[in-house]
């Protein structure tokens, strides 16, 4: 079975979505959502490992890379609707929805809006409105949440310096920054090269207040299985995140730590990330 990525575009109500597939079209589907400042390329290593048996699918989130800018303005509940259009259009069933960073926030919003999803994996993120959200917002080391939420200013500062600015986060938040190699860094910078895509990336942060309201309003009990992952070198006690998810109504929760990884676990430790996801999906 070929593991080479196959690229296509899906027309949605809010514009074209860049969809990348690898593996067996008849295999168990895994749908991967990237975070910031990344693109579908963040999942390339995981998809290669999944592809021999599974149907591995990744997208550029709306406005990023080769996906059109939409009117969603980063609101995760609305981005989740684009993901749902993809799942319906491709006729996917028994889906494992996997989200990293901002993609993890979208995956959580998807679970709340479409609880019929088979299972969800959320990685390396805090969920707006779900504890320890309050503490994260107070943490001075998470300074970029505030900066990125300011209208227009981050675009002015970062425009033309995407490689250097994004590289700061890869270097500071990774256990081993070399694992995010030059090819990946170039691909991610290219995905935010245009003014529109740069704004789309910062809009993920500008939507946090709305996301928190949406998540608080939808905090009801659900039995949909959820796997929550954090990198071994990533700050924050995973037990605190688990407690917040359970308090928000996640009744079937599994947690695990990804060894030898920081915040960018899918790129830092793709083999271990795939092992944990695959074991969760096939248990």
């Amino acid at each position: 079975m070929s593991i080479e990525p196959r690229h296509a575009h899906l027309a949605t109500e809010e514009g074209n979505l860049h969809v990348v597939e690898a593996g067996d079209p008849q295999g168990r589907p895994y749908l991967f959502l990237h975070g910031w400042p990344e693109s579908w390329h963040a999942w390339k290593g995981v998809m290669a490992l999944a592809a021999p048996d599974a149907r591995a699918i990744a997208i550029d989130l709306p406005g990023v890379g080769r996906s059109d800018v939409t009117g969603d303005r980063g609101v995760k509940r609305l981005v989740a609707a684009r993901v749902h259009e993809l799942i319906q259009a491709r006729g996917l069933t028994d889906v494992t929805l996997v989200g990293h960073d901002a993609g993890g926030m979208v995956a959580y919003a998807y679970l709340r809006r479409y609880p019929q999803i088979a299972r969800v994996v959320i990685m390396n993120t805090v969920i707006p409105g779900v504890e320890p959200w309050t503490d994260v917002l107070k943490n001075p080391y998470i300074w970029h949440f505030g900066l990125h939420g300011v209208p227009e200013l981050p675009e002015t500062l970062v425009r033309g310096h995407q490689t250097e600015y994004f590289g700061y986060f890869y270097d500071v938040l990774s256990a081993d920054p070399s694992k995010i190699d030059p090819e990946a860094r170039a691909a991610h910078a290219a995905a935010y090269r245009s003014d529109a895509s740069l704004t789309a990336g910062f809009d993920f942060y500008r939507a946090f207040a709305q996301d928190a309201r949406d998540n608080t309003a939808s905090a009801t009990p659900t039995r949909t299985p959820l796997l929550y992952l954090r990198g071994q070198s990533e700050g924050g006690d995973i037990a605190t995140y688990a407690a917040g998810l359970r308090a928000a109504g996640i009744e079937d929760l599994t947690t695990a730590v990804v060894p030898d990884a920081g915040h960018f676990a899918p790129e830092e430790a793709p083999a271990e990330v795939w092992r944990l996801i695959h074991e969760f999906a096939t248990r």
Side-chain angles (χ1 to χ4, degrees):
M1 180 58 59
S2 172
I3 63 174
E4 287 301 313
R6 304 181 294 274
H7 297 259
H9 278 86
L10 173 72
T12 75
E13 291 184 3
E14 289 285 343
N16 289 322
L17 199 63
H18 178 215
V19 183
V20 185
E21 292 199 42
D24 184 356
Q26 304 305 316
R28 180 192 293 266
Y30 295 80
L31 177 52
F32 299 101
L33 310 177
H34 67 82
W36 184 95
E38 296 175 294
S39 62
W40 80 267
H41 195 282
W43 293 106
K44 189 174 182 180
V46 173
M47 292 174 72
L49 293 165
D53 301 306
R55 183 179 185 181
I57 307 168
I59 65 170
D60 280 332
L61 292 178
V64 176
R66 292 164 60 184
S67 287
D68 290 350
V69 176
T70 73
D72 298 338
R73 306 299 294 177
V75 175
K76 311 309 178 294
R77 169 177 51 84
L78 301 179
V79 176
R82 306 286 80 75
V83 175
H84 190 60
E85 286 188 70
L86 168 61
I87 289 175
Q88 290 187 310
R90 291 290 194 269
L92 303 178
T93 58
D94 194 26
V95 178
T96 302
L97 180 62
V98 185
H100 170 261
D101 186 78
M105 298 178 185
V106 175
Y108 184 85
Y110 190 100
L111 166 62
R112 288 311 192 175
R113 188 167 185 178
Y114 309 102
Q116 67 270 27
I117 188 74
R119 65 196 65 82
V120 174
V121 181
I122 293 175
M123 302 181 56
N124 309 102
T125 195
V126 63
I127 303 300
V130 177
E131 297 303 346
W133 178 246
T134 304
D135 290 337
V136 169
L137 290 181
K138 294 177 183 177
N139 186 343
Y141 292 102
I142 315 296
W143 55 268
H144 60 289
F145 276 27
L147 173 61
H148 294 177
V150 177
E152 300 182 4
L153 178 61
E155 287 94 329
T156 300
L157 297 175
V158 176
R159 185 179 296 114
H161 302 284
Q162 284 89 329
T163 300
E164 296 84 356
Y165 188 68
F166 297 170
Y168 167 84
F169 293 94
Y170 305 144
D171 293 344
V172 170
L173 299 180
S174 300
D176 180 358
S178 70
K179 295 295 181 64
I180 307 177
D181 61 29
E183 177 192 352
R185 292 176 185 232
H188 298 327
Y192 297 85
R193 181 172 293 139
S194 73
D195 287 352
S197 60
L198 196 57
T199 293
F202 292 130
D203 278 346
F204 293 132
Y205 293 85
R206 292 167 183 148
F208 281 169
Q210 182 61 55
D211 297 334
R213 288 191 292 270
D214 290 341
N215 291 336
T216 299
S218 63
T220 56
T222 176
R223 291 293 301 166
T224 302
L226 191 152
L227 171 64
Y228 181 78
L229 302 176
R230 290 187 74 77
Q232 184 179 35
S233 298
E234 192 169 25
D237 180 7
I238 196 169
T240 302
Y241 289 81
L245 289 166
R246 291 192 177 98
I250 304 300
E251 296 182 347
D252 187 351
L253 177 67
T254 304
T255 66
V257 171
V258 182
D260 302 319
H263 179 70
F264 298 98
E267 293 184 271
E268 296 179 71
E272 185 63 15
V273 166
W274 172 240
R275 184 188 69 80
L276 289 167
I277 294 172
H278 185 254
E279 286 184 357
F280 170 68
T282 58
R283 66 184 184 182

